[in-house]
Amino acid sequence: MSDGDIKVGIISCSGEEIPEGTISRLATRRVLELMRPGNTVTICLPLFLAGNEAEQDFARKHPTITVDGCGKLCAKKGTEKHSGPVSAALVVSDILDSQCSCCARSAKDRTESDKEAVWLVSEEIAKAVDSILTENGGCCNSEDDTDSATCACSKPVPGMEILVDGKPITVAGLALIFDHLAVNGLAPDDKCGDKLLETVRIYHAIEPEEENAYKAALILAYKTYRRKS
Amino acid sequence: MSKRKTIIMPCSGIGKVHGLIAREATYAAADMANAETLCLALLVSGDKDARAKIKDADCIAIDGCPKLCAAKNVEMAGGRVVKSVRVVDSFRGHRGAEPGTATALADDGWKIVREIAADIACGLGKSEVK
C-alpha cells in the first residue's frame, strides 16, 4: 500500500487492568500494521499525557481517533485536554458489549474470542479512519474497497516496488509478506536477508545470480517498511 | 520489603516491542507474586481512586525505554516507586535476540519477559516461578 497524504493519529488507552485495554492496543496495532498502514500513526498515551510537547503537538496538527477500553475514557479526555477535540472516540466495551467477558489481558492466555474481539474493534477503527480521510479529501488505502460485482479472489494482490541493482521490480504481495514476517518476529536488521529471500522467492521467481542483489534490495525495503509501521 | 500492597505498573508503550515486554512482564510478575496492576493512563489522568490506590502501595515500574513514563508518572501522582525496571537493560544479556514486535512476542521476547518477572517475584520473596 502506498502512503497517504493525511496521517490519522490513533491513541489507544492500553489499560493494563482490563482485557479491553489489551484489545484496544492490539486493534490499534492491527490497523497500523495491516489495515491502514499508509494513513495511520500512533503515539504512546502515557508519554502524551505526561506533557511531551512533540507528542501533544502531533495531536493538534492531525486528525486523531481515541480508542478507550472502558467508559472512563482516559485516552479521549487526556487528548482533548492537551490537544483539543478528537475526530472520533471509540470505546471497546461499547463496541463489544458483553463479548469481551471471556477475553484475556495477557497474550499467553489469548483464545479465538480475543482474536475475534480485536478483529471487530479494528474494523471499527478502520471505518473511522476512512471516514476522516474522506472528509479531508485524503486517499483511503482500504482493504474493503471491494466492488460488489467483483469476486475478491479475482483481484490482483497489490505489489510493492523495490530497486534491484538500480532496476525497479514490482513484487506482488510484498507488504503482506513483510507483515507476516514482522508478526513472526523478524527484526529489520542486516541479518534478515536470508529469511526475506527465502519467503519472497516462494511467490516471485529469483534467479541464482540475482540473489545477492535481491537480498540487498529486500533488506532495505523491509527496514523502510518497518520504520513506517 | 514492607507489608504494603505491591502494584506493578508497565508503560505499555505501543510503538516498540519493549512496551509489550513491559506489559507482559507485569502480568507474569503479578501472577507469580500475587501482586496487582493498575491502568497507567487512568492514574496519569488524575483519577482519584487510582491515586488513592497507589498512595498505600509499593510500586514497581517497568518501562520499555529510557523515557521512563511509568516510573515518572507514578511518582508525579504521589506513588512510591520501590523498584524501576528498564526493559532496554534486560536486552544487554541477550545480544542478537529477536524479541518480536510491538504486536506479538517471539520466543526471545517471552524469555526476557520471564526473566524480568522472575527477578521481580524474587525481590518480593516469591522464588517459585509458575
Side-chain angles (χ1 to χ4, degrees), chain A residues 12-18 21-26 28-30 32-33 42-47 49-50 52 55 72 74-75 81 105-110 181-187 189 191 226, chain B residues 9-17 19-20 23-24 26-28 30-31 36-45 47 49 53 67 69-70 73 76 96-106 110:
Chain A
S12 161
C13 84
S14 297
E16 288 84 5
E17 274 185 277
I18 53 173
T22 300
I23 293 166
S24 75
R25 190 180 193 282
L26 288 172
T28 297
R29 293 287 329 167
R30 185 167 188 260
L32 291 161
E33 289 179 344
T42 190
I43 48 181
C44 289
L45 183 61
L47 184 61
L49 294 178
N52 181 288
E55 306 262 333
K72 288 179 179 167
C74 297
K81 181 180 171 188
R105 298 189 305 184
S106 171
K108 69 178 170 50
D109 303 319
R110 198 163 297 149
L181 292 173
V183 166
N184 284 285
L186 185 69
D189 56 26
K191 292 185 292 183
R226 291 289 300 277
Chain B
M9 306 282 294
C11 73
S12 291
I14 197 168
K16 291 190 175 73
V17 67
L20 180 57
R23 186 180 181 89
E24 290 294 346
T26 294
Y27 293 138
D31 279 351
E36 292 180 22
T37 188
L38 180 68
C39 292
L40 183 60
L42 184 65
L43 181 68
V44 178
S45 65
D47 182 83
D49 293 340
K53 213 170 173 182
K67 287 181 178 169
C69 290
N73 281 311
M76 278 164 58
E98 293 183 0
T101 68
T103 304
L105 295 182
W110 283 111

Side-chain angles (χ1 to χ4, degrees), chain B residues 73-95:
Chain B
N73 281 311
V74 168
E75 283 176 349
M76 278 164 58
R80 179 178 150 203
V81 177
V82 295
K83 184 179 176 72
S84 175
V85 178
R86 300 192 334 165
V87 173
V88 284
D89 295 337
S90 303
F91 272 76
R92 286 185 187 148
H94 296 273
R95 285 194 182 276

Side-chain angles (χ1 to χ4, degrees), chain B residues 8 28-35 120-121 124 126:
Chain B
I8 308 173
D31 279 351
M32 289 177 193
N34 198 23
I120 290 171
L124 293 171
K126 311 278 181 181

Side-chain angles (χ1 to χ4, degrees), chain A residues 104-177:
Chain A
R105 298 189 305 184
S106 171
K108 69 178 170 50
D109 303 319
R110 198 163 297 149
T111 64
E112 284 304 313
S113 300
D114 296 272
K115 289 178 187 169
E116 178 77 4
V118 170
W119 185 82
L120 286 169
V121 175
S122 61
E123 288 290 317
E124 292 302 315
I125 300 171
K127 275 186 211 166
V129 170
D130 292 348
S131 172
I132 291 167
L133 292 173
T134 305
E135 282 171 19
N136 288 277
C139 166
C140 285
N141 288 328
S142 169
E143 280 186 342
D144 307 320
D145 285 341
T146 50
D147 179 341
S148 57
T150 310
C151 171
C153 59
S154 68
K155 294 178 79 176
V157 179
M160 184 188 283
E161 198 174 81
I162 57 173
L163 282 177
V164 181
D165 262 347
K167 188 179 158 194
I169 303 281
T170 299
V171 179
L174 189 56
L176 296 172
I177 293 170

